[in-house]
Amino acid sequence: MTDMDGRRRPVTTRQSIVLTDIRLEAAEGDLIPDIVAISPEGQKLFIEIRNTHGCAPEKLEKLGSMDVDVLEIDVSGYRAHALDDLDEVILDLAPRMVIQSAALRAMATRIADERAAREETRQTDAGRRIAIYRDRQMRHSPRAAELADEMIALGFADHMDLDMNPSAFRVPRRQWQAAILYRLGVTAYPDKVGAVAMLERLRERKWPKPELDFMSSDDTNWIAKHIAPDFKSAYEEIAGYLRRLQKTGVVHEDMRSLYYMSEAGRDTISRAARERSRPTVRRQELDDALEEIRDLVASADEEWVDVDAWLEERAGELGTSVGDLLQQDDGRFDHLLGTLKTIRTSILRMQRFEQDEPPEDLAGLPLAGLFLRLGMARLEAQEREELERAERLRLKAEARISDAVQAAIGVLGDPASWLDKPLADSDGKTPRELAAENPSGLGELMDAIAKARTRRMVDQQAENLKATALEKLRAEVARVIPRQDLVDLWMRQSWSQLGGARPQEFCVDEGTLFRCLEVLTETQGTQKRRP
């Protein structure tokens, strides 16, 4: 028969029985069994032969009221067998089943007693577990409290239970819920987790109540169904909380029943993290900006500010507190940080002589002496630059004058005296003054020197040509006139053929040479040259 756990439990072993005193269709009270037999032990046995159908319900009911064993032999599958074969069918082949017996009743009673005992134990155990579940005395866990505070600060207060309702955990509900949120949204673990893995993680911290941790789903569901509807095991509390987070859009569930933080949840964490870290980040920005300015303060006679006191003073001047200045996005922090950056930029620019004046707002920093020194240094640098510039101009002017003198050597008779002689076409300025003024003046001088050089070359060429022509003329006159004194006389004599000019003056080139030779021929005839 089937026991209370749904298992088939054997009642007696299979056995053969030698029957005595067998009667067919003998009346037994209100019933007429097919066969009535007595066992060797004297126990009465009813045998029902099932041919077309089993015992009717009313017959079964009457049999049930009688303290007698009943055996049913099913011969419905042997209706085609010959009558001579039925003895073998009935005795050995046909299926048979005990409908009722003292052993069955005893087993049923035992199973009922077991069920009752189990039910009593289950009730007692359920009561104990419910009491543990409803026990609100929680164990203090600094880490659990820290996680709760952190997740509240990250913007998840609405997704955590801040009450003290019954729980399967030894820490407050909001604390183990915070651990789940932290695991999903903050830690470096894989970004997906299921209820079982999450429970294992909380077990490592020893947060579940031990009596409610390793419970079967059947026991949990039975308690919730029959005694306490709100009862849950540690696993079911976690699973229910994950489903709740899914419904509110904080997490998503994949096909493997693993949960992961939604984009909206991560955005919530990111925004809250930025909000939480803003004062620290901003304070560090101010410290860095002040340190950068301090590094530029070279003088040791200026004592630097106490940063905390300075910040209090700045916040007061801006009409706020230090906490609000570092937290709020109302532009005042940006204004202060921008002022510090402007100060640093001004220091650097004044050090490079790119800026003349310090900024109007020094943000309460002791920088007046620094900017005064930077201003003085700029003036000194400007004076040095002017002197150096004047010296450079002087050297360049002297170099131009020297270039002009070098160019004039060999072209002009006395370059030194020429330098200081006013030029007619330069508003009375001397060559020295023109060269010293600018490169353009030197250019004018170089042009004049180049023209003078060209004229001198032309004159020299003319002199050379004249000398050659006179040499040729004198040689030809000497050939025609044997006496040297007559040659000199002819060369110095004015000739009307030459327009009254003297040959030694008229003869300057090949053309005038030819004309002089013609005159020589006309005046001397065809006289032959002397031997």
Side-chain angles (χ1 to χ4, degrees):
M1 63 186 307
T2 303
D3 65 11
M4 58 184 177
D5 293 324
R7 295 172 298 185
R8 296 291 291 175
R9 183 184 296 188
V11 179
T12 60
T13 58
R14 186 179 182 88
Q15 55 185 302
S16 297
I17 302 175
V18 178
L19 299 176
T20 61
D21 191 14
I22 298 172
R23 293 174 291 164
L24 302 179
E25 294 184 346
E28 291 287 333
D30 294 338
L31 289 178
I32 301 179
D34 292 338
I35 301 170
V36 177
I38 304 299
S39 70
E41 292 81 11
Q43 184 177 357
K44 186 179 293 185
L45 174 65
F46 291 174
I47 300 175
E48 294 291 328
I49 304 300
R50 181 173 182 170
N51 185 16
T52 57
H53 55 78
C55 291
E58 57 274 12
K59 187 173 184 180
L60 289 175
E61 184 178 354
K62 291 179 179 180
L63 287 172
S65 62
M66 301 176 67
D67 184 18
V68 62
D69 292 348
V70 180
L71 177 68
E72 181 181 76
I73 300 175
D74 185 1
V75 298
S76 59
Y78 299 91
R79 296 174 65 184
H81 281 58
L83 290 176
D84 293 341
D85 297 332
L86 286 180
D87 54 350
E88 183 181 6
V89 169
I90 291 173
L91 293 176
D92 298 314
L93 300 180
R96 62 211 61 224
M97 181 180 67
V98 176
I99 294 178
Q100 70 178 35
S101 71
L104 283 175
R105 287 191 295 273
M107 179 62 72
T109 300
R110 183 188 307 171
I111 291 175
D113 292 342
E114 290 176 359
R115 180 178 287 108
R118 178 180 292 187
E119 188 72 14
E120 182 179 356
T121 301
R122 198 173 200 180
Q123 288 279 358
T124 302
D125 185 63
R128 181 179 58 83
R129 287 180 170 176
I130 292 172
I132 294 172
Y133 181 75
R134 300 194 186 287
D135 183 4
R136 289 185 171 86
Q137 291 185 358
M138 296 295 172
R139 189 183 72 174
H140 176 66
S141 170
R143 179 54 180 160
E146 178 184 338
L147 288 176
D149 292 342
E150 181 167 356
M151 298 315 296
I152 290 173
L154 289 178
F156 287 93
D158 292 341
H159 302 285
M160 297 160 58
D161 298 323
L162 302 180
D163 53 41
M164 295 295 291
N165 289 334
S167 172
F169 289 87
R170 296 193 290 182
V171 296
R173 188 182 302 273
R174 64 174 178 178
Q175 294 182 1
W176 64 259
Q177 290 175 346
I180 294 176
L181 290 169
Y182 185 85
R183 166 64 178 78
L184 288 168
V186 180
T187 66
Y189 287 100
D191 59 353
K192 294 184 178 182
V193 68
V196 173
M198 194 65 239
L199 177 57
E200 289 295 331
R201 180 60 177 162
L202 298 185
R203 282 172 179 160
E204 293 175 6
R205 300 181 182 274
K206 302 185 184 306
W207 287 357
K209 295 176 179 177
E211 300 85 349
L212 306 180
D213 189 0
F214 296 95
M215 287 185 63
S216 68
S217 296
D218 288 341
D219 288 342
T220 304
N221 294 336
W222 185 87
I223 293 174
K225 180 178 180 180
H226 296 91
I227 304 177
D230 63 336
F231 181 83
K232 292 182 180 64
S233 65
Y235 166 80
E236 289 180 335
E237 284 213 52
I238 292 175
Y241 182 60
L242 288 171
R243 289 192 295 269
R244 167 183 156 188
L245 292 177
Q246 180 191 19
K247 290 181 181 178
T248 57
V250 176
V251 301
H252 297 313
E253 182 184 11
D254 67 7
M255 299 298 293
R256 298 178 299 164
S257 296
L258 297 179
Y259 294 86
Y260 57 96
M261 186 67 72
S262 66
E263 194 65 30
R266 294 194 178 277
D267 288 343
T268 298
I269 293 175
S270 298
R271 286 194 302 271
R274 288 194 298 270
E275 290 287 334
R276 291 181 64 194
S277 62
R278 180 178 296 158
T280 302
V281 172
R282 284 184 169 181
R283 176 56 188 264
Q284 188 61 52
E285 288 178 336
L286 289 177
D287 289 344
D288 292 343
L290 289 171
E291 193 63 26
E292 289 176 349
I293 294 173
R294 185 178 184 180
D295 290 342
L296 299 176
V297 179
S299 176
D301 58 355
E302 290 176 323
E303 184 177 355
W304 194 241
V305 296
D306 177 272
V307 177
D308 292 333
W310 172 85
L311 187 55
E312 287 282 354
E313 183 180 352
R314 291 298 94 202
E317 289 194 2
L318 292 172
T320 185
S321 65
V322 173
D324 287 344
L325 178 65
L326 297 178
Q327 181 66 55
Q328 299 302 323
D329 273 336
D330 53 12
R332 283 180 280 199
F333 173 81
D334 293 335
H335 171 75
L336 177 57
L337 187 62
T339 300
L340 295 179
K341 291 181 178 179
T342 299
I343 292 172
R344 180 178 182 276
T345 300
S346 297
I347 294 174
L348 293 175
R349 288 179 58 83
M350 291 188 70
Q351 287 176 341
R352 297 192 297 264
F353 306 131
E354 297 174 354
Q355 182 173 325
D356 297 331
E357 299 294 333
E360 294 183 2
D361 187 0
L362 297 183
L365 297 176
L367 299 174
L370 170 65
F371 280 111
L372 179 60
R373 289 190 295 275
L374 290 176
M376 295 297 296
R378 178 177 177 82
L379 292 176
E380 293 173 358
Q382 288 176 338
E383 291 177 358
R384 288 194 302 273
E385 185 177 355
E386 288 297 328
L387 293 174
E388 292 172 357
R389 180 175 179 275
E391 180 64 16
R392 288 195 300 272
L393 292 177
R394 185 186 68 78
L395 293 175
K396 289 181 179 179
E398 290 183 355
R400 290 195 294 271
I401 293 172
S402 177
D403 291 344
V405 171
Q406 292 297 321
I409 294 175
V411 177
L412 303 175
D414 185 4
S417 61
W418 167 78
L419 279 175
D420 296 316
K421 184 179 180 179
L423 300 175
D425 55 351
S426 298
D427 297 329
K429 294 180 180 179
T430 65
R432 184 187 302 277
E433 292 171 339
L434 281 176
E437 280 184 354
N438 50 51
S440 178
L442 175 63
E444 292 181 20
L445 292 178
M446 290 300 188
D447 289 343
I449 293 172
K451 290 178 181 178
R453 183 181 292 108
T454 300
R455 288 194 300 270
R456 182 167 182 171
M457 291 177 60
V458 171
D459 292 345
Q460 186 64 45
Q461 290 175 355
E463 288 293 331
N464 293 339
L465 187 59
K466 180 178 180 179
T468 301
L470 284 174
E471 184 179 354
K472 289 180 180 180
L473 178 59
R474 183 176 289 279
E476 186 61 25
V477 173
R479 187 185 64 80
V480 176
I481 303 175
R483 290 177 53 186
Q484 186 62 40
D485 57 339
L486 295 178
V487 171
D488 293 338
L489 178 63
W490 190 92
M491 292 290 292
R492 294 194 302 271
Q493 184 177 350
S494 298
W495 297 95
S496 59
Q497 296 91 328
L498 299 178
R502 299 173 183 178
Q504 65 180 12
E505 296 172 352
F506 182 80
C507 183
V508 296
D509 54 23
E510 291 293 330
T512 56
L513 171 62
F514 182 75
R515 180 58 183 152
C516 288
L517 292 177
E518 288 180 337
V519 173
L520 176 64
T521 301
E522 292 174 0
T523 58
Q524 299 299 321
T526 57
Q527 182 179 348
K528 296 182 180 179
R529 181 181 298 182
R530 290 178 296 174

